[in-house]
Amino acid sequence: MSEADGGRDEVLDDEVLNDVLAGLTADVKTLPGKYLWDETGSDLFDRICHSPDYYPTRQEMALLPRVAAELAGKVAPGVTVVEFGSGASRKIRTLLDALTRPAAYVAIDISGEYLEGAIRRLAADYPDIAMVPVCADYAKPVPLPVAAGPGGILGFYPGTSIGNFAPPEAGLFLERARTTLGPSLFLVGADATVEPEHLQRAYAGADGLMAAFHRNILVRLNRELGADFDLDNFRHGITLCPDPQRVEAHLEALRPATYHLGGQAIAFAAGERIRTDTSHKYTSAAFQALARRSGWQPRGLWQAEDGSFNLHLLEHAGM
């Protein structure tokens, strides 16, 4: 549900085991959505983004050429572009093609192997741009390994990934991004869709890719933490929730079962769910208010024709 939506090796460690156990032993079971993003999860989500039912990617890709052309007039030559949750690094090509002599591209993603492969492919097509992969959890402060180019810094957070944070957490992310980027411009995607039929098609995924994406987190726990989850006992589903408007994804146990992880037994009743991800929806006004509270000033807004997807240009308030 993110587009993406760390900093160590991809093998989950003791700190993450404690994180996972805390979620699975809570009254309402949860798993942190960031652990969806191993190499398999990243590949599955890349395929989801090409699905005709997954509207955010289609709407954003229709907007990006116009946005990039207009940004080229606002951004000085030699800019350093920093992308949060870079994934396959496909959307960045539209920006790099439009900007004048970008100095560097810094790609931040939690899936190290996937990141390295994406950067290798990109570097072959942009030999004059320094390619800098950073394997990290971008929800935390991330020190940039390069100085700003002569054209300053342009941050890029495409897709609907900001929606994976609840509003207070989204505000904290924007504050941390301001620290990471320093004086900068920041282009951020946000989904405003509330139409149930569109959300069902996009997030329930009749083609089975979304279900495979969410079940893959159990595959990862089995492989990397020695858990014994039976994937056939879990089905993927979503819940549409109001106030704040959001889509919650979950894995639901079909029958009672007990599984084991880190020396603990984790019991499931039939119908009990694990919440695996959440996608919050932001109207343009709500997102701009959130950005202002987080120290950014809105400087531009581009919207899909029906207003259901927005790209926001923010500026560091201290510039």
Side-chain angles (χ1 to χ4, degrees):
M1 294 174 64
S2 3
E3 284 182 60
D5 142 324
R8 297 179 292 267
D9 189 86
E10 285 193 45
V11 176
L12 302 182
D13 59 16
D14 289 342
E15 179 184 348
V16 180
L17 172 61
N18 294 334
D19 195 10
V20 169
L21 283 174
L24 290 177
T25 57
D27 291 339
V28 177
K29 291 180 170 65
T30 63
L31 283 170
K34 62 185 178 182
Y35 300 136
L36 293 162
W37 301 97
D38 64 352
E39 187 175 11
T40 300
S42 296
D43 181 65
L44 282 166
F45 198 80
D46 187 48
R47 292 168 63 190
I48 288 166
C49 288
H50 289 83
S51 165
D53 285 335
Y54 194 73
Y55 63 86
T57 301
R58 184 173 63 254
Q59 291 179 339
E60 185 173 39
M61 293 306 290
L63 280 176
L64 265 177
R66 176 163 61 92
V67 174
E70 293 185 29
L71 273 180
K74 300 176 183 287
V75 176
V79 69
T80 292
V81 183
V82 180
E83 183 174 6
F84 295 82
S86 55
S89 293
R90 287 203 174 95
K91 297 173 184 176
I92 196 64
R93 290 174 180 266
T94 304
L95 280 184
L96 296 180
D97 288 343
L99 299 172
T100 303
R101 299 187 303 279
Y105 168 56
V106 181
I108 306 173
D109 201 90
I110 198 170
S111 180
E113 271 188 61
Y114 201 75
L115 174 64
E116 293 287 348
I119 287 295
R120 281 195 302 271
R121 292 187 294 272
L122 200 65
D125 294 332
Y126 297 90
D128 296 330
I129 301 175
M131 297 288 165
V132 186
V134 178
C135 183
D137 177 1
Y138 64 76
K140 301 176 181 178
V142 181
L144 292 184
V146 296
I153 290 179
L154 171 64
F156 185 41
Y157 192 34
T160 63
S161 296
I162 191 74
N164 297 136
F165 300 108
E169 296 166 345
L172 182 58
F173 163 74
L174 289 173
E175 290 175 10
R176 288 172 172 169
R178 190 162 53 89
T179 300
T180 294
L181 297 173
S184 57
L185 294 171
F186 194 15
L187 184 64
V188 183
D191 185 20
T193 303
V194 296
E195 209 286 315
E197 183 181 350
H198 289 171
L199 295 173
Q200 283 285 350
R201 287 204 308 267
Y203 291 101
D207 57 12
L209 288 173
M210 195 67 82
F213 174 65
H214 285 273
R215 275 201 295 264
N216 181 63
I217 197 169
L218 300 183
V219 175
R220 191 177 183 193
L221 295 182
N222 287 350
R223 181 182 69 243
E224 299 183 25
L225 292 180
D228 58 358
F229 290 103
D230 175 8
L231 270 65
D232 291 336
N233 191 33
F234 289 91
R235 67 182 170 196
H236 167 258
I238 66 169
T239 303
L240 307 184
C241 306
D243 195 27
Q245 191 76 34
R246 65 199 187 277
V247 180
E248 292 187 353
H250 54 260
L251 296 171
E252 180 180 338
L254 300 176
R255 57 188 178 274
T258 299
Y259 303 106
H260 302 86
L261 175 64
Q264 293 199 39
I266 303 168
F268 285 82
E272 190 170 7
R273 296 173 172 180
I274 308 170
R275 189 174 68 239
T276 51
D277 210 2
T278 305
S279 183
H280 290 80
K281 307 305 173 185
Y282 291 95
T283 65
S284 57
F287 181 81
Q288 289 179 355
L290 176 69
R292 289 189 181 94
R293 292 195 298 270
S294 303
W296 295 92
Q297 289 300 320
R299 292 295 186 236
L301 171 65
W302 295 268
Q303 296 182 294
E305 288 186 5
D306 61 359
S308 60
F309 183 85
N310 303 320
L311 279 165
H312 298 266
L313 183 64
L314 309 178
E315 186 178 32
H316 192 299
M319 288 182 72

